[in-house]
Amino acid sequence: MPAPPLYLLISLPTGISSTSDQEEAFGALRAGVSTDNGAVTPFHIPEFKIGTLEALVKHAEELDKLESTCSAVAGKVGDSLKSILDGDEEKVSQQKMVNDKPAAHYLNSFSWNKVKYRTDNRSIGELIERLSKDISGIDGEVKNKGNLSNKSLISVVPKDLVIQDSEYIETHLVAVPNTQAKDFPKTYETISPWVVPRSGIKVDSDSEFTLYAVTTFKKYSQEFIHKCREQKWTPREYKFKQGSREEEQKELDKVSKEERKLWGEALRLGRTNWGEAVMAWIHVLALRVFVETVLRYGLPADFVSGLVKTDEKQAKKIRKNFDETYSYLAGNALGRDKKGRAIKDDAEMQQHTGSDEYSPYVCYEFQIL
């Protein structure tokens, strides 16, 4: 599949127009992007209740962190959809909808949700708090979906893997987070006494956990389970029930039916949560542009904003053109290096952004994967 587009969310003061006219200013913004480099659409941002300068600086830092969180959560939900749909990119893309429409349509027709995020009686700080709560809720739902740490293991664990009716030893099933799965084979033998050497066997894995089977002496089983929990591994209680083939098949059919139901529910939640995560993310970006615009250009907040759809290569050309055209907006904060690139002269600003490159206008890049 082709690479997803890169978006630039740009804001410029209306003062770039000789008459400070909104339409003229947006026309100037649009003229800065040739049709070969990208497509520009208006991006309407409402006016928010502005507090003190100190509060705005604090909000700018909060929104920086919150945007990173939104991007990460949207990515996690996308990974969850990929896992549910067995990596089928075409099917995954069909599920990635915002309000039942493709994300590109939502972006091009963006309108601040004044019902969910009211601007008439809420401060910027209160809006940030509400958006943070929403994205945390979505993140929690992603973490609580069915996986090897909590789902039925009947159809996962082979019959001959679990030791039956032994007086001295028994098999433990342990769900290990994938971030620790690489180290598990090196450490499981030493976390408690009398773990059978080289007994660790990888049983299965999903997008979050890897399931291992480990054999220990029964006398030390409880200690092994306790130590697993200390390592943030999840011991799974599992007892194989021996019975007739008909009984076993009946149990498997029951599990299969439950898993299909869970699969459908997981897909529905994944689709909904992805759309909600992207909506929250774009609202955070809109709020971030507003706050940074006021900090950059001052009051009153007379500005125009546009969304540029492009790719990584063309984005560099667009930004270079805007850097040259609007370098005067940066005042004393902007200088030039030996190659003519815009740089910051202000040491505090360099420390704040962590880079010597600086845009004299407000611009945020993002990519919805």
Side-chain angles (χ1 to χ4, degrees), residues 198-229:
R198 295 183 295 279
S199 64
I201 299 172
K202 179 180 175 180
V203 182
D204 198 5
S205 63
D206 58 26
S207 61
E208 296 179 73
F209 289 88
T210 299
L211 186 70
Y212 287 93
V214 177
T215 303
T216 70
F217 280 77
K218 285 186 175 180
K219 183 178 179 180
Y220 295 95
S221 286
Q222 289 306 310
E223 183 174 352
F224 176 78
I225 291 170
H226 176 69
K227 293 295 182 181
C228 282
R229 292 197 174 105

Side-chain angles (χ1 to χ4, degrees), residues 162-182:
V162 179
I163 295 173
Q164 302 291 324
D165 303 322
S166 171
E167 186 178 350
Y168 300 105
I169 60 176
E170 64 180 332
T171 303
H172 300 276
L173 296 169
V174 184
V176 179
N178 287 338
T179 53
Q180 302 180 50
K182 186 177 179 181

Side-chain angles (χ1 to χ4, degrees), residues 146-268:
N147 55 49
L148 286 169
S149 72
N150 53 34
K151 74 176 187 178
S152 171
L153 298 178
I154 290 176
S155 61
V156 175
V157 180
K159 297 178 185 178
D160 57 357
L161 188 66
V162 179
I163 295 173
Q164 302 291 324
D165 303 322
S166 171
E167 186 178 350
Y168 300 105
I169 60 176
E170 64 180 332
T171 303
H172 300 276
L173 296 169
V174 184
V176 179
N178 287 338
T179 53
Q180 302 180 50
K182 186 177 179 181
D183 294 327
F184 179 82
K186 305 173 187 175
T187 56
Y188 77 90
E189 293 181 11
T190 59
I191 64 170
S192 75
W194 293 97
V195 176
V196 177
R198 295 183 295 279
S199 64
I201 299 172
K202 179 180 175 180
V203 182
D204 198 5
S205 63
D206 58 26
S207 61
E208 296 179 73
F209 289 88
T210 299
L211 186 70
Y212 287 93
V214 177
T215 303
T216 70
F217 280 77
K218 285 186 175 180
K219 183 178 179 180
Y220 295 95
S221 286
Q222 289 306 310
E223 183 174 352
F224 176 78
I225 291 170
H226 176 69
K227 293 295 182 181
C228 282
R229 292 197 174 105
E230 285 187 354
Q231 298 291 326
K232 309 299 183 185
W233 305 338
T234 305
R236 296 298 314 275
E237 289 189 16
Y238 178 82
K239 291 184 178 180
F240 178 73
K241 296 180 180 179
Q242 187 68 43
S244 67
R245 285 190 176 185
E246 290 78 10
E247 290 174 337
E248 292 172 19
Q249 187 60 50
K250 186 177 179 180
E251 186 68 21
L252 283 171
D253 290 343
K254 179 182 177 183
V255 170
S256 180
K257 184 177 179 181
E258 289 174 354
E259 287 186 344
R260 283 196 300 271
K261 183 179 178 182
L262 287 171
W263 183 89
E265 179 67 11
L267 183 61
R268 185 190 65 79

